[in-house]
Amino acid sequence: MSNTNLMNSEEILINVTPQETRVAMVENGSLQEVSIERRRNRGIVGNIYKGKVNRVLPGMEAAFVDIGLERSGFLHVSDFDLGEGGEGEDEEKPQLPPINELLKEGESLLVQVVKDPIGTKGARLTTSISVPSRYLVYMPNSSQIGISVKIEEEQERERLRTLLSECMNENRTGGCIVRTAAEGVVDEELNRDIKFLCTLWDSVQEQAKTAKPGTVVHEDLPLAIRTLRDMVGNDTDVVKVDSRETYQKLVKFGKKYIPDLPCKIEHYPGIRPLFDLYNVDDEIQRALGRKVELKSGGYLIIDQTEAMTTIDINTGAFVGHHNLEETIFKTNMEAAQAIARQLRLRNLGGIIIIDFIDMVMEDHRRQVLKSLEKYLDRDHAKTQVCEVSPLGLVEMTRKRTRESLEHVLCETCVTCGGRGTHKTVETVCYEIFRELLREARVYDEAQQLLVMANQNVIDMLLDEEADSLAELETFIKIPVKLQVESYYSQENYDVVPV
């Protein structure tokens, strides 16, 4: 195998169990992306619902729409489609009227999910319906013909634009966006894609006529097939799947919709788990931690919060060979590549703030930023990187449509409540002293006060804080009894009059 091929090696691994499907993208032997879909909690991005308007909020220029889920979906006026075709590829959207002129409470309408429910937020909705296929995205309420920006050759862009315009005129009204996978595809394939999408849209409309508000009228494909449709490209060498049933479904889908699939689909029958061959589970485990080690000895600290994700870079044990500026520059360059990978692997989205180590030389800052943008080019999610701020921070955004890896696999710690820390034993002891004072004033005739707490807390009350406890007993004139509760966390305690 040539060095060029080695540099572009890409494998997609699909692990299927009755409970969940997991997809891993491995580039040059290194895990880059992980997608997980669980049977109990399938993602709903791309699903089309017949919704019912619950509430219109003129102050927010938005509405809440019941789509049959636990929380109502959120529809902003900017995501409302008036169905007025004719806009050009570069033209701005027309000015929309206020939301209370577009929607009324109790009204039914077709909406599509563009963002899964995340945390306490409901799904983000749009009325600009789109239905994707391998090469195209069909937009029934638009006449726009758009071309993926990753198709750079102007002659090819013009060919696709002309072809799509003719195809749409022959088939029906509507618009299309040409996906990157369509580059170089023959006319017959695109024609077939358009006909498939138009037929699919007809069936959606028919179902919507009789559907009750709050029901789904079209679901996106399951993860394994969606991966074949969306992620397989010219760089993909092989798709390996460890389920024979799913393998057969993928082959059938590929023959019907992607006859020129640029890679092989293989069934993996081995005894050793497929993900173990590539150490995928170990990589996933590491991706759930805050600290990411760099080969040079430096490291990243990644903190994901509700508002944003912050990434801090440190030189750690790396001291360089010449001077401090060289050490900082090399650490930041290595960090840029690691950050791009971690964003994909952890599926981090929204606002991301990167605190690179301060660099004195302007050329170094420029090279680090350019390096970050270069590694982000391979990301399937849309990213936007700003210049280095006066404080030396890099601000960027990454489009978020689904939950991050951490939110899929983890839940908030019941002990610390998501803080990542808990109160010291000393702090809890002093809280207990204050509670004993309060209880003594309320129950001044109590025979005894019982303190139930964690073993560590009781140990301190009997040792380092024994004198303080004795003084308190003398002051309140009520004896205090201590009792260990093994199932209590360090912060939990009870003071009970007995």
Side-chain angles (χ1 to χ4, degrees), residues 326-339:
E326 177 210 45
T327 301
I328 291 171
F329 175 60
K330 287 186 176 180
T331 303
N332 282 339
M333 287 292 282
E334 186 183 1
Q337 182 175 4
I339 288 167

PDB file of all heavy atoms in Angstrom, residues 326-339:
ATOM      1  N   GLU A 326       9.518  28.045  21.994  1.00  0.00           N
ATOM      2  CA  GLU A 326       9.460  26.849  21.137  1.00  0.00           C
ATOM      3  C   GLU A 326       8.596  25.775  21.803  1.00  0.00           C
ATOM      4  O   GLU A 326       7.784  25.117  21.144  1.00  0.00           O
ATOM      5  CB  GLU A 326      10.871  26.307  20.901  1.00  0.00           C
ATOM      6  CG  GLU A 326      10.895  25.022  20.089  1.00  0.00           C
ATOM      7  CD  GLU A 326      12.074  24.118  20.432  1.00  0.00           C
ATOM      8  OE1 GLU A 326      12.363  23.922  21.625  1.00  0.00           O
ATOM      9  OE2 GLU A 326      12.683  23.599  19.512  1.00  0.00           O
ATOM     10  N   THR A 327       8.791  25.589  23.118  1.00  0.00           N
ATOM     11  CA  THR A 327       8.002  24.596  23.851  1.00  0.00           C
ATOM     12  C   THR A 327       6.512  24.904  23.759  1.00  0.00           C
ATOM     13  O   THR A 327       5.688  24.029  23.475  1.00  0.00           O
ATOM     14  CB  THR A 327       8.426  24.579  25.336  1.00  0.00           C
ATOM     15  OG1 THR A 327       9.803  24.268  25.420  1.00  0.00           O
ATOM     16  CG2 THR A 327       7.618  23.563  26.125  1.00  0.00           C
ATOM     17  N   ILE A 328       6.160  26.170  23.965  1.00  0.00           N
ATOM     18  CA  ILE A 328       4.760  26.592  23.910  1.00  0.00           C
ATOM     19  C   ILE A 328       4.188  26.394  22.517  1.00  0.00           C
ATOM     20  O   ILE A 328       3.070  25.870  22.350  1.00  0.00           O
ATOM     21  CB  ILE A 328       4.643  28.070  24.354  1.00  0.00           C
ATOM     22  CG1 ILE A 328       4.937  28.188  25.849  1.00  0.00           C
ATOM     23  CG2 ILE A 328       3.263  28.636  24.030  1.00  0.00           C
ATOM     24  CD1 ILE A 328       5.052  29.611  26.344  1.00  0.00           C
ATOM     25  N   PHE A 329       4.941  26.782  21.495  1.00  0.00           N
ATOM     26  CA  PHE A 329       4.467  26.663  20.116  1.00  0.00           C
ATOM     27  C   PHE A 329       4.216  25.201  19.744  1.00  0.00           C
ATOM     28  O   PHE A 329       3.170  24.863  19.182  1.00  0.00           O
ATOM     29  CB  PHE A 329       5.485  27.288  19.165  1.00  0.00           C
ATOM     30  CG  PHE A 329       5.163  27.114  17.707  1.00  0.00           C
ATOM     31  CD1 PHE A 329       3.980  27.615  17.177  1.00  0.00           C
ATOM     32  CD2 PHE A 329       6.036  26.427  16.865  1.00  0.00           C
ATOM     33  CE1 PHE A 329       3.680  27.449  15.827  1.00  0.00           C
ATOM     34  CE2 PHE A 329       5.733  26.243  15.527  1.00  0.00           C
ATOM     35  CZ  PHE A 329       4.559  26.762  15.011  1.00  0.00           C
ATOM     36  N   LYS A 330       5.162  24.320  20.079  1.00  0.00           N
ATOM     37  CA  LYS A 330       5.009  22.908  19.731  1.00  0.00           C
ATOM     38  C   LYS A 330       3.830  22.280  20.481  1.00  0.00           C
ATOM     39  O   LYS A 330       3.089  21.469  19.929  1.00  0.00           O
ATOM     40  CB  LYS A 330       6.298  22.146  20.032  1.00  0.00           C
ATOM     41  CG  LYS A 330       7.422  22.451  19.047  1.00  0.00           C
ATOM     42  CD  LYS A 330       8.638  21.571  19.289  1.00  0.00           C
ATOM     43  CE  LYS A 330       9.700  21.822  18.222  1.00  0.00           C
ATOM     44  NZ  LYS A 330      10.910  20.979  18.427  1.00  0.00           N
ATOM     45  N   THR A 331       3.654  22.666  21.741  1.00  0.00           N
ATOM     46  CA  THR A 331       2.518  22.145  22.515  1.00  0.00           C
ATOM     47  C   THR A 331       1.197  22.602  21.909  1.00  0.00           C
ATOM     48  O   THR A 331       0.251  21.815  21.769  1.00  0.00           O
ATOM     49  CB  THR A 331       2.605  22.606  23.983  1.00  0.00           C
ATOM     50  OG1 THR A 331       3.852  22.193  24.544  1.00  0.00           O
ATOM     51  CG2 THR A 331       1.471  22.010  24.809  1.00  0.00           C
ATOM     52  N   ASN A 332       1.114  23.879  21.542  1.00  0.00           N
ATOM     53  CA  ASN A 332      -0.116  24.410  20.948  1.00  0.00           C
ATOM     54  C   ASN A 332      -0.415  23.764  19.590  1.00  0.00           C
ATOM     55  O   ASN A 332      -1.578  23.507  19.265  1.00  0.00           O
ATOM     56  CB  ASN A 332      -0.011  25.924  20.783  1.00  0.00           C
ATOM     57  CG  ASN A 332      -0.246  26.667  22.098  1.00  0.00           C
ATOM     58  OD1 ASN A 332      -0.847  26.117  23.022  1.00  0.00           O
ATOM     59  ND2 ASN A 332       0.221  27.895  22.183  1.00  0.00           N
ATOM     60  N   MET A 333       0.620  23.511  18.789  1.00  0.00           N
ATOM     61  CA  MET A 333       0.417  22.864  17.489  1.00  0.00           C
ATOM     62  C   MET A 333      -0.115  21.440  17.660  1.00  0.00           C
ATOM     63  O   MET A 333      -1.032  21.007  16.953  1.00  0.00           O
ATOM     64  CB  MET A 333       1.730  22.839  16.697  1.00  0.00           C
ATOM     65  CG  MET A 333       2.151  24.194  16.155  1.00  0.00           C
ATOM     66  SD  MET A 333       1.056  24.815  14.844  1.00  0.00           S
ATOM     67  CE  MET A 333       1.628  23.831  13.455  1.00  0.00           C
ATOM     68  N   GLU A 334       0.449  20.723  18.621  1.00  0.00           N
ATOM     69  CA  GLU A 334      -0.039  19.364  18.889  1.00  0.00           C
ATOM     70  C   GLU A 334      -1.459  19.417  19.447  1.00  0.00           C
ATOM     71  O   GLU A 334      -2.315  18.590  19.112  1.00  0.00           O
ATOM     72  CB  GLU A 334       0.893  18.667  19.881  1.00  0.00           C
ATOM     73  CG  GLU A 334       0.527  17.209  20.105  1.00  0.00           C
ATOM     74  CD  GLU A 334       1.402  16.528  21.143  1.00  0.00           C
ATOM     75  OE1 GLU A 334       2.296  17.193  21.702  1.00  0.00           O
ATOM     76  OE2 GLU A 334       1.171  15.330  21.402  1.00  0.00           O
ATOM     77  N   ALA A 335      -1.724  20.417  20.284  1.00  0.00           N
ATOM     78  CA  ALA A 335      -3.052  20.561  20.881  1.00  0.00           C
ATOM     79  C   ALA A 335      -4.116  20.852  19.826  1.00  0.00           C
ATOM     80  O   ALA A 335      -5.246  20.378  19.930  1.00  0.00           O
ATOM     81  CB  ALA A 335      -3.034  21.674  21.931  1.00  0.00           C
ATOM     82  N   ALA A 336      -3.773  21.640  18.799  1.00  0.00           N
ATOM     83  CA  ALA A 336      -4.739  21.982  17.745  1.00  0.00           C
ATOM     84  C   ALA A 336      -5.278  20.721  17.080  1.00  0.00           C
ATOM     85  O   ALA A 336      -6.489  20.591  16.844  1.00  0.00           O
ATOM     86  CB  ALA A 336      -4.085  22.898  16.711  1.00  0.00           C
ATOM     87  N   GLN A 337      -4.388  19.778  16.769  1.00  0.00           N
ATOM     88  CA  GLN A 337      -4.814  18.517  16.157  1.00  0.00           C
ATOM     89  C   GLN A 337      -5.651  17.699  17.133  1.00  0.00           C
ATOM     90  O   GLN A 337      -6.694  17.136  16.761  1.00  0.00           O
ATOM     91  CB  GLN A 337      -3.599  17.710  15.701  1.00  0.00           C
ATOM     92  CG  GLN A 337      -3.979  16.408  15.006  1.00  0.00           C
ATOM     93  CD  GLN A 337      -2.766  15.669  14.460  1.00  0.00           C
ATOM     94  OE1 GLN A 337      -1.625  16.087  14.667  1.00  0.00           O
ATOM     95  NE2 GLN A 337      -2.993  14.583  13.743  1.00  0.00           N
ATOM     96  N   ALA A 338      -5.210  17.637  18.394  1.00  0.00           N
ATOM     97  CA  ALA A 338      -5.942  16.862  19.400  1.00  0.00           C
ATOM     98  C   ALA A 338      -7.323  17.448  19.657  1.00  0.00           C
ATOM     99  O   ALA A 338      -8.302  16.713  19.829  1.00  0.00           O
ATOM    100  CB  ALA A 338      -5.139  16.818  20.701  1.00  0.00           C
ATOM    101  N   ILE A 339      -7.433  18.776  19.658  1.00  0.00           N
ATOM    102  CA  ILE A 339      -8.726  19.429  19.909  1.00  0.00           C
ATOM    103  C   ILE A 339      -9.716  19.102  18.798  1.00  0.00           C
ATOM    104  O   ILE A 339     -10.882  18.775  19.055  1.00  0.00           O
ATOM    105  CB  ILE A 339      -8.539  20.952  20.044  1.00  0.00           C
ATOM    106  CG1 ILE A 339      -7.851  21.279  21.376  1.00  0.00           C
ATOM    107  CG2 ILE A 339      -9.878  21.687  19.957  1.00  0.00           C
ATOM    108  CD1 ILE A 339      -7.352  22.700  21.476  1.00  0.00           C
TER     109      ILE A 339
END
